[in-house]
Amino acid sequence: MSLKNILLRTINQKNKYINLAATAVKINQEQYNHRDQNNKYKKTVATALFSSVLIGTVLAEKSKNNKKELKENNEENTCGAGEKRPDLPTYRAEEISKHNSKKSFWVTYKNGVYDVTSFLPSHPGGDQIMNAGGYSIEPFWNVYGMHKTKEIYALLESYRIGNLHEDDMVDLSDEELWVKEPIRDKRLIVKTSKPFNAEIPAKLQVAHFDTPNELFYVRQHMPVPELDSSEHRVRVTIKNGQTVTREFSLQQLDQFPRTAVRAALMCAGNRRSEMNEQVKPVKGISWQGGAISNAVWEGVLLIDVLKACGLEDTSTAGKHVIFTGSDIDATGVNFSTSIPLEQALNPKNRILLATHMNGAVLPPDHGYPLRVIVPGAPAVRSVKWLESITISKDESSSHWHQKDYRSFNASKTWETADFASAPPIYSLPVTSAICDPAHGDTVTAKNGVVEIRGYAYSGGGAKILRVDISPDCGKTWVQAEEMQSDDAPPQQHYAWTLWTARIPVSKGQKELELWAKATDSNFNTQPERFNDIWNIRGVLSNAYHRIKVQIKH
Amino acid sequence: MSLKNILLRTINQKNKYINLAATAVKINQEQYNHRDQNNKYKKTVATALFSSVLIGTVLAEKSKNNKKELKENNEENTCGAGEKRPDLPTYRAEEISKHNSKKSFWVTYKNGVYDVTSFLPSHPGGDQIMNAGGYSIEPFWNVYGMHKTKEIYALLESYRIGNLHEDDMVDLSDEELWVKEPIRDKRLIVKTSKPFNAEIPAKLQVAHFDTPNELFYVRQHMPVPELDSSEHRVRVTIKNGQTVTREFSLQQLDQFPRTAVRAALMCAGNRRSEMNEQVKPVKGISWQGGAISNAVWEGVLLIDVLKACGLEDTSTAGKHVIFTGSDIDATGVNFSTSIPLEQALNPKNRILLATHMNGAVLPPDHGYPLRVIVPGAPAVRSVKWLESITISKDESSSHWHQKDYRSFNASKTWETADFASAPPIYSLPVTSAICDPAHGDTVTAKNGVVEIRGYAYSGGGAKILRVDISPDCGKTWVQAEEMQSDDAPPQQHYAWTLWTARIPVSKGQKELELWAKATDSNFNTQPERFNDIWNIRGVLSNAYHRIKVQIKH
């Protein structure tokens, strides 16, 4: 089917996006239709596919006005990209559609036509860009809204070759995709609105050991799916010679012993903004320290469900558990990632299929009605809106698993980094942050002492043993006195630690630079600076946290 | 019994040391006599008790001539301490013996009499020094030979008040203690000879993935006990309401399923010399990078033995497993340390009661005929010459457990560090070292490339994912290409990793500074410098390894 036909149909049909998706990227119909309850949702999802690897730095962290910035960068400021250019020739959609190969690769944006052939080799997402060949990038970018930065619009415009014929213009606005999004707490600091990504303000992090659900940071890759708990099923597939498949309703899952795990979830990109600012730009949501929160998760143990499905302890070596969510991208592909099966089968890892969060039913933003919780792992492995669990000899083939959440040394570029040979991030290094006061605050010294509070966390079940604060750029260190942590057994410390330190200040002192570093039960500590842990994706950004405050006596 | 009587008896009896020990520190006779096979050994052990916390920096690492240095520092150079001083008064042993309280505390060394009352509060080992009150320090220092440094002799001499009467002089030479020591491989680099502590040369570390037994680094706290495998028993005591005790011969242990674990053992003080040189002096054997080696250990699983003794999975929370060796200190106290019971009961931790090392019966230096192997923990927990296992609600009360192998922040001094509140080191942070070439070597560049080799290791079962080398002080990083590691399941990587990196050098380049850092599967990395991880004991010394080499083209 030619692009022209697709475009014509797109104009004429109300469920235009999904048809385009099904045709353009030839998705597996079986997979596509397997869940009736999702169809309604799927029909509202756009057809964009663009590697999530290229999630741009949305916000220049320098500016203080978050809301203004969002509007500027994310929603409105396109730097004039796609406006009519009378100086350039006009092309028909049919002509454009022919330029969909590596030899000649055109895309459109609003009125603009762009020859991006020479850009293809530099595209971080590799061949996934091919799905947009000869067509508009708008529906793709509508789902991956993070592309909508000044820099990327300017880059696009630099490839401009002409204008799209007016008769071939299509309304590709994205409103339909996002109308069902949950209502969110106004105190969250929004980093991107479509998809919704927002951090918890630092001072609210240390206000509760278990973060209230409405303040828990939110990390979405796509629109939030609308699911019905009474109809929801999770399908377990074990390929072991013959394939065994079983489906569980939530009621059926409830037959397994219920248990609770207190665990922090942290995005692998938490504190990325510091790496951005202190070294050089990286790609990804520019999180400050607010992409971590703590909760008590309740549900059933994954290991119990797998064993009930006949999984045996033998022949597990080298296999993987693939978790798939109901959130789908523009091509109809569900979000998916995996963890090693042997990690999943270690009872001490306490991996849950969770239905509740801090005593309440999971909110839609956190995976209602069912999600995985992989304690001690980066939050991306704790797949939300869980609809399938597959034991496989291969890792998840999704681009979220294959092309993201991996790390490289500081010298690797997008050109030299080899995602295939880089191991996925299945655990997180020790980190800490000062939450109260914030950088730039004025604090009051009481009896010559300034009190500061923050969090510390380490992945893989490691406990935080110590947090040390330097008030003089490393000359001396003051150990935090109060440490609030979980009471879990050794190697199963999945919650964060909240700490309080009392820093002596001298009488006339007006300014104070504070450095924080934590030590975990493997006695790993944080690196001093971000320089040598810098990486193209800005993940694992765990160097000392440094702030400056003014002192009032 | 007065000191004079003890001294008189000491002179008159051939087994002088052991009687003095039994009397002077009132050791528990039952404990002392419980193993007949040890008596012979015990009778040869001196009566010194001095906190192992004060294990001094034996060797000034600066000098190149190891043998000369040993002789100078460890065995002969006493800076004239204890020589006759005609300018000072003479005291009788009876008079000296009265000065054994905190109000007045004297000791002797050869001819010298010293009033060290004012030193007592600064003694790192705390009250343990009281055992030497009114008596000679020689037998104490004979066992803890690490005290025999120029600096400590000079410190001692600064407290000089007089001379010991010639009639009261006793031969306190230590030859008898050490005559049964094993014969060691001459290639080991001896750090202290009594007790024997020696590291493996760096180039031999990377010569074999499993270190040959005779090259495995040696860390002793006391003389090596002489044990008979046919008579050896290990006693398991479980206090759980009523106390259950069971004894196992090695033959009886062999009834349990035998298994093998490939694991590196590393001293918590490995690479201490770099902390010494790059920041400021610390107390402890000044290991370079050679206090780590790798082997395949065979034996039975601790968990199987404990379960056979009736240990139940319930009510294990907060308890400890105390391991006691047959090596005894000067007061008849056996070496002992503990680990948390919940750590011991995690099957993935694979804790062994080992009888074999790389296919051969354990050598005497490595615990013949039975030792514990706690993979992923500092080697001190892998107790050698194992004679008892006790489940207890308390950690081991030994001073090796209570007063050593703990860590503090860089600002804590011997005066401010609180050992009781500092958690014991039960796991080790990620580390690495360049082994070949060594610092100062001249290397040949082949086709513009210099090849370097080294090891990397991380505790707690973490795998080494990457080793990165910087040839330009952090500007760029080259990832090591060849990584030799074990094939263990996730979170059970207990072996070290040997790596090879190829560093491009420019044509005229004459010198090369190399930095090495490793990243483990929790994505923890090494700190850049030693400054902020410096600690009074010099443990956990895992900052980047840095060397300089000359290049020949």
Side-chain angles (χ1 to χ4, degrees), chain B residues 515-531:
Chain B
W515 295 2
K517 71 158 176 164
T519 301
D520 75 9
S521 49
N522 294 308
F523 291 87
N524 280 301
T525 60
Q526 301 175 230
E528 289 95 317
R529 303 172 310 146
F530 290 94
N531 299 55

Side-chain angles (χ1 to χ4, degrees), chain A residues 101-300:
Chain A
S101 74
K102 286 189 179 175
K103 285 186 184 166
S104 181
F105 195 86
W106 293 9
V107 294
T108 67
Y109 173 68
K110 291 185 179 168
N111 282 295
V113 178
Y114 306 86
D115 179 354
V116 295
T117 315
S118 63
F119 172 73
L120 294 183
S122 333
H123 182 240
D127 278 354
Q128 308 228 16
I129 196 175
M130 301 310 289
N131 291 309
Y135 182 57
S136 171
I137 49 106
E138 280 174 273
F140 295 77
W141 287 15
N142 284 343
V143 169
Y144 297 108
M146 305 80 160
H147 290 103
K148 298 179 175 180
T149 68
K150 283 181 196 176
E151 292 74 15
I152 296 181
Y153 281 120
L155 179 70
L156 177 70
E157 202 58 24
S158 73
Y159 291 99
R160 181 77 177 259
I161 55 165
N163 300 299
L164 177 64
H165 195 284
E166 293 227 334
D167 292 353
D168 295 340
M169 292 282 288
V170 183
D171 174 17
L172 292 167
S173 67
D174 65 348
E175 286 313 309
E176 215 177 332
L177 292 174
W178 305 100
V179 288
K180 297 292 176 96
E181 289 288 288
I183 293 163
R184 277 96 180 199
D185 194 292
K186 297 291 178 221
R187 290 169 294 177
L188 290 173
I189 302 165
V190 181
K191 310 300 286 187
T192 69
S193 56
K194 298 171 187 175
F196 189 76
N197 287 293
E199 59 185 296
I200 169 175
K203 285 172 192 173
L204 292 178
Q205 283 179 306
V206 292
H208 314 86
F209 187 68
D210 295 324
T211 312
N213 292 358
E214 66 275 17
L215 289 175
F216 206 98
Y217 86 98
V218 180
R219 168 74 176 107
Q220 313 297 30
H221 293 89
M222 270 88 74
V224 174
E226 202 185 3
L227 302 175
D228 180 334
S229 69
S230 64
E231 290 178 31
H232 192 75
R233 301 285 182 279
V234 60
R235 193 184 50 217
V236 181
T237 306
I238 300 177
K239 293 174 192 165
N240 197 2
Q242 64 192 49
T243 298
V244 177
T245 300
R246 274 190 65 181
E247 276 205 348
F248 296 90
S249 67
L250 295 191
Q251 241 177 342
Q252 286 166 323
L253 278 185
D254 264 358
Q255 316 275 308
F256 294 98
R258 287 187 68 79
T259 188
V261 177
R262 181 169 260 127
L265 288 186
M266 184 170 92
C267 179
N270 190 38
R271 302 186 58 215
R272 178 182 282 132
S273 64
E274 293 162 67
M275 196 176 263
N276 253 332
E277 288 161 13
Q278 294 178 34
V279 190
K280 56 185 177 179
V282 292
K283 291 202 192 302
I285 300 171
S286 196
W287 298 112
Q288 298 189 34
I292 177 171
S293 306
N294 197 67
V296 177
W297 308 93
E298 294 161 59
V300 301

